[in-house]
């Protein structure tokens, strides 16, 4: 089954082949200028897609920070496996000790999920901040070329 992501490289190859074919037929009509414009448009497209992807990822990370969803086992499951080993022997913990250990495990898991979401948010900002100046530069370059 084909996915859209799998079709993107194929689509880019077809576009490049069409551009090359078009420029060969118009060698004397400014084909080099057309290649430059296509290059600028490809850079604009790639950087725009990176910024959009980073924005979506940043939104998802903010959603994970605001409303975290983390899985942790229920207290009944934890109680079933709530044995601690001391000197090679198994010791059954009291209900209060089990509950305290379980609550500590839940808090630790929620903190880990929050830290992962913050880390993801920082990485997502990288996908926005890094390509954005490149996009702006090539956009201005394209506008200058069109006005001339």
């Amino acid at each position: 089954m084909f996915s859209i992501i799998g079709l993107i490289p194929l689509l880019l190859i077809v576009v490049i082949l069409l551009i090359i074919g078009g420029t060969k037929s118009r060698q004397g009509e400014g084909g080099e200028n057309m290649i430059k414009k296509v290059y600028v448009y490809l850079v604009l497209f790639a950087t725009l897609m990176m910024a959009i992807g980073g924005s979506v990822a940043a939104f998802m990370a903010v959603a994970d920070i605001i409303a975290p969803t983390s899985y942790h086992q229920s207290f009944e499951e934890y109680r079933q496996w709530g044995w601690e080993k001391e000197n090679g022997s198994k010791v059954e913990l009291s209900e209060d000790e089990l509950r305290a250990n379980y609550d500590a495990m839940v808090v630790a898991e929620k903190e880990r999920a929050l830290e992962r979401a913050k880390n993801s948010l920082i990485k997502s900002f990288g996908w926005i901040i890094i390509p954005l100046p490149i996009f702006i530069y090539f956009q201005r370059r394209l506008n200058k070329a069109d006005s001339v």
Side-chain angles (χ1 to χ4, degrees):
M1 206 183 215
F2 284 107
S3 68
I4 293 176
I5 295 174
L7 291 176
I8 291 175
L10 180 64
L11 182 64
L12 285 175
I13 291 171
V14 169
V15 168
I16 290 171
L17 290 176
L18 287 173
I19 292 168
I20 291 172
T23 56
K24 284 187 177 183
S25 66
R26 294 191 277 162
Q27 282 290 327
E29 300 174 13
E32 185 178 310
N33 191 26
M34 183 178 162
I35 291 176
K36 288 179 183 179
K37 277 192 175 185
V38 168
Y39 171 75
V40 169
Y41 280 119
L42 285 175
V43 170
L44 286 171
F45 175 75
T47 54
L48 182 63
M49 289 298 109
M50 284 192 256
I52 290 172
S55 299
V56 170
F59 179 81
M60 291 170 52
V62 168
D64 285 342
I65 290 171
I66 293 171
T69 57
S70 61
Y71 170 77
H72 51 82
Q73 65 191 122
S74 67
F75 180 68
E76 288 75 26
E77 291 172 332
Y78 185 78
R79 184 186 310 148
Q80 181 181 2
W81 302 103
W83 297 80
E84 285 192 0
K85 293 183 180 182
E86 286 185 11
N87 300 330
S89 63
K90 292 183 178 180
V91 176
E92 187 172 349
L93 299 175
S94 70
E95 188 75 19
D96 292 334
E97 291 172 326
L98 275 174
R99 178 56 80 174
N101 288 348
Y102 174 75
D103 291 340
M105 180 199 68
V106 169
V107 168
E109 180 58 34
K110 286 181 180 180
E111 288 175 1
R112 269 194 298 275
L114 182 63
E115 291 302 316
R116 281 192 301 265
K118 288 178 183 177
N119 188 314
S120 177
L121 181 63
I122 292 169
K123 291 176 185 177
S124 299
F125 282 141
W127 279 99
I128 298 169
I129 294 170
I130 294 170
L132 191 61
I134 298 167
F135 179 83
I136 293 170
Y137 171 77
F138 276 92
Q139 180 67 32
R140 288 183 179 169
R141 187 173 169 185
L142 183 66
N143 288 340
K144 286 180 185 177
D146 286 342
S147 65
V148 172

